[in-house]
Amino acid sequence: MPCRFFQCLTLVLLAVLNVSCTSATNSPSKPNETSSETSASVEPSTLPPAPAKPVPPLQLAVPAALPERLGDNDLKNMDSGELFLFARKAANGKFYNVAAASQYWYVQSTKRGQYDLACYLAQVGQIEAAFYWLQIAAIDEGVDTRHARRDVDLESLRRDSRWETVFQYMLDCNKYFESAPIARTILILPTGYKQPAAIPAVIWLHGLGSRPESFVDESCQKFADEMNVALIGVSGSKPNGPNSFVWTEEIEKDAKRLRDALAEVGDRVSINKGQVINMGFSQGAQVGLEIAASYPEEYAGAIVISPGAKIHLGNLKPSPLLAQRGYV
């Protein structure tokens, strides 16, 4: 999602809410970006035993490398962003051989995207290689098993007698990561910001199976500066893998995750009460909207981009405060 789009929408909502956008001063030499992993503060004696790391059930040989070149395109040396887009465009056009080769070199470059690679390989009938990369995706990336069970790209794998065994492995990987303290919170502060000055905050809620870094990173520093807001990227309440998180779509649980994230960054930033804006994409958009609408005493409003999740708004008892909040 382009940061410029983020800036435009946020400026609209900040204007609606009459929030100051004055830039901070006293610039330091480096961006005020911090990232941390959180874990529950529970006494060791009360913690349940950690599950063992799952072992892939299929012992498969490492697949052969896919072609380095396609026409004039040198895939091995292409920029990772270009590779990703090249693969996605080819897949959308159902040129799965091209998509698979491009995605293979994307995976080699970034160590991400194994699930998509498995999908493209499954589409061209490379079943062994597809199973290999699907197992890698489950433990190195994280797989949304609800999606995998119905993903049309994996139909050929689901017809294979080994599918249920591999699917159980994916479920086991999900359970393994659910018990791991790998929640992530990313904070970007306006350049020169110093406590105890209180500023507004924009919380980014990512989409299904994504992570906070998919949107909140160093490229957003200039927008934190221009708007004088704290940008906070929060990982979903439920980890599917080391870099894959989802929201539970249970308002109280997801609202607690956001409160925990705000408490976590409280030693680095003071946030104006009532000036917290939720902004999200896809699953995170619907979740962020519903949290903001359910707790208008905590949130100034929400920015919703392509929402897609379970809807609870019909059960919401409207608060008089909602008339004073803004939504885009």
Side-chain angles (χ1 to χ4, degrees):
M1 190 68 59
C3 273
R4 178 58 61 181
F5 186 48
F6 161 85
Q7 183 194 33
C8 293
L9 282 177
T10 306
L11 282 172
V12 170
L13 189 49
L14 290 175
V16 169
L17 301 172
N18 295 314
V19 173
S20 172
C21 295
T22 305
S23 297
T25 57
N26 301 322
S27 301
S29 58
K30 294 183 179 180
N32 288 324
E33 177 187 2
T34 59
S35 176
S36 59
E37 295 187 353
T38 61
S39 58
S41 55
V42 181
E43 292 297 323
S45 59
T46 67
L47 291 172
K53 186 174 183 178
V55 177
L58 306 184
Q59 302 304 307
L60 302 171
V62 179
L66 294 182
E68 297 180 13
R69 300 189 67 88
L70 288 174
D72 295 331
N73 296 297
D74 181 0
L75 303 179
K76 188 175 182 180
N77 295 304
M78 188 181 291
D79 175 77
S80 61
E82 291 183 62
L83 277 171
F84 176 82
L85 293 175
F86 196 55
R88 186 58 57 88
K89 183 177 180 179
N92 289 340
K94 300 189 183 304
F95 300 108
Y96 291 109
N97 277 315
V98 174
S102 305
Q103 189 71 17
Y104 174 82
W105 290 107
Y106 174 78
V107 169
Q108 297 305 307
S109 173
T110 65
K111 309 305 178 187
R112 298 195 304 269
Q114 296 96 331
Y115 179 84
D116 285 349
L117 176 55
C119 288
Y120 303 152
L121 289 167
Q123 283 282 10
V124 297
Q126 295 193 35
I127 304 302
E128 298 298 306
F131 270 129
Y132 174 89
W133 288 112
L134 189 59
Q135 289 189 143
I136 296 295
I139 198 65
D140 285 1
E141 186 176 34
V143 171
D144 177 10
T145 51
R146 291 179 299 176
H147 176 67
R149 187 179 280 281
R150 62 178 186 271
D151 192 341
V152 295
D153 288 337
L154 298 179
E155 186 176 344
S156 61
L157 299 193
R158 291 195 295 272
R159 293 196 298 266
D160 191 287
S161 61
R162 296 168 292 179
W163 168 258
E164 288 303 328
T165 300
V166 173
F167 187 78
Q168 183 59 53
Y169 170 68
M170 292 189 286
L171 291 172
D172 292 342
C173 288
N174 284 174
K175 291 177 183 177
Y176 172 75
F177 287 112
E178 284 174 25
S179 65
I182 57 174
R184 293 211 290 275
T185 304
I186 296 176
L187 172 66
I188 297 181
L189 294 171
T191 299
Y193 169 81
K194 295 183 186 301
Q195 282 186 314
I199 57 176
V202 176
I203 299 178
W204 171 254
L205 293 83
H206 59 74
L208 182 75
S210 189
R211 58 195 186 282
E213 299 93 331
S214 67
F215 192 86
V216 180
D217 58 21
E218 65 278 359
S219 68
C220 293
Q221 180 67 52
K222 57 184 176 181
F223 304 121
D225 294 345
E226 290 178 18
M227 296 183 290
N228 194 36
V229 298
L231 305 180
I232 306 172
V234 180
S235 59
S237 309
K238 181 180 174 183
N240 277 341
N243 293 297
S244 176
F245 300 84
V246 299
W247 301 95
T248 66
E249 299 182 8
E250 297 178 39
I251 300 304
E252 291 184 7
K253 289 184 179 180
D254 291 332
K256 181 181 183 301
R257 171 70 189 108
L258 298 192
R259 292 190 191 104
D260 289 346
L262 290 174
E264 180 187 348
V265 301
D267 62 338
R268 286 162 281 169
V269 61
S270 299
I271 297 171
N272 270 328
K273 185 177 181 181
Q275 291 189 345
V276 177
I277 299 168
N278 283 342
M279 180 174 181
F281 173 70
S282 189
Q283 187 191 38
Q286 187 68 37
V287 169
L289 169 65
E290 299 207 356
I291 291 174
S294 299
Y295 301 98
E297 69 280 5
E298 299 178 43
Y299 296 92
I303 299 172
V304 182
I305 307 170
S306 300
K310 187 184 296 182
I311 299 174
H312 306 85
L313 292 177
N315 302 322
L316 178 67
K317 184 178 180 180
S319 164
L321 287 175
L322 287 175
Q324 304 169 34
R325 302 299 182 251
Y327 300 89
V328 178

